[in-house]
């Protein structure tokens, strides 16, 4: 977590953070930008119309996808290609491609 102390709050930042539960720690105050995480594999098994059965995090809302986690900070959790157990149901493996573009002044 010492790397977080090196972030300049006014600068847009991209942070790689394996476990999305780290977002609930107070160390993120003032950090702006994107945090990219994994760890959950999207829950791996998701019955239709129900939440995933196994999500290996404390904060169970952190399954997969995009979350607003603070002023100017977004968390994106990738479902990944691997697995905790050798089964996936209704949770497709994911490889995410982001395209970064310079903001236009205005």
């Amino acid at each position: 977590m010492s790397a977080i102390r090196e972030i300049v709050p006014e600068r847009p930042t991209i942070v790689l953070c394996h476990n999305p539960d780290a977002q609930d720690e107070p160390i993120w105050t003032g950090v702006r930008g994107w945090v990219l995480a994994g760890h959950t594999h999207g829950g791996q098994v998701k019955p239709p119309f129900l939440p995933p059965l196994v999500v290996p995090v404390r904060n169970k809302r952190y399954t997969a996808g995009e979350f607003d986690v603070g002023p100017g900070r977004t968390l994106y959790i990738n479902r990944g290609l691997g697995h905790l157990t050798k089964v996936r149901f209704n949770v497709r493996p994911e490889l995410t491609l982001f395209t970064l573009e310079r903001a236009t002044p205005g």
Side-chain angles (χ1 to χ4, degrees), residues 45-106:
V45 176
K46 185 182 177 315
F49 310 109
L50 295 174
L53 298 178
V54 177
V55 182
V57 289
R58 290 184 309 266
N59 189 333
K60 298 303 181 190
R61 81 180 185 116
Y62 294 152
T63 54
E66 187 176 319
F67 299 87
D68 180 8
V69 289
R73 191 171 69 253
T74 301
L75 168 65
Y76 184 83
I77 304 170
N78 180 287
R79 293 187 307 266
L81 302 173
H83 46 73
L84 296 171
T85 59
K86 293 184 179 191
V87 65
R88 275 191 186 253
F89 176 74
N90 209 25
V91 180
R92 295 181 59 139
E94 173 184 24
L95 179 64
T96 306
L97 176 65
F98 291 99
T99 301
L100 303 179
E101 297 178 358
R102 182 179 301 273
T104 57

Side-chain angles (χ1 to χ4, degrees), residues 1-15:
M1 299 286 182
S2 62
I4 297 294
R5 291 193 264 291
E6 302 298 321
I7 293 174
V8 178
E10 301 81 41
R11 286 192 162 158
T13 305
I14 298 174
V15 178

Side-chain angles (χ1 to χ4, degrees), residues 17-35:
C17 182
H18 180 76
N19 189 330
D21 274 329
Q23 288 304 294
D24 296 335
E25 301 295 327
I27 59 172
W28 297 93
T29 302
V31 175
R32 305 283 188 264
W34 282 81
V35 179

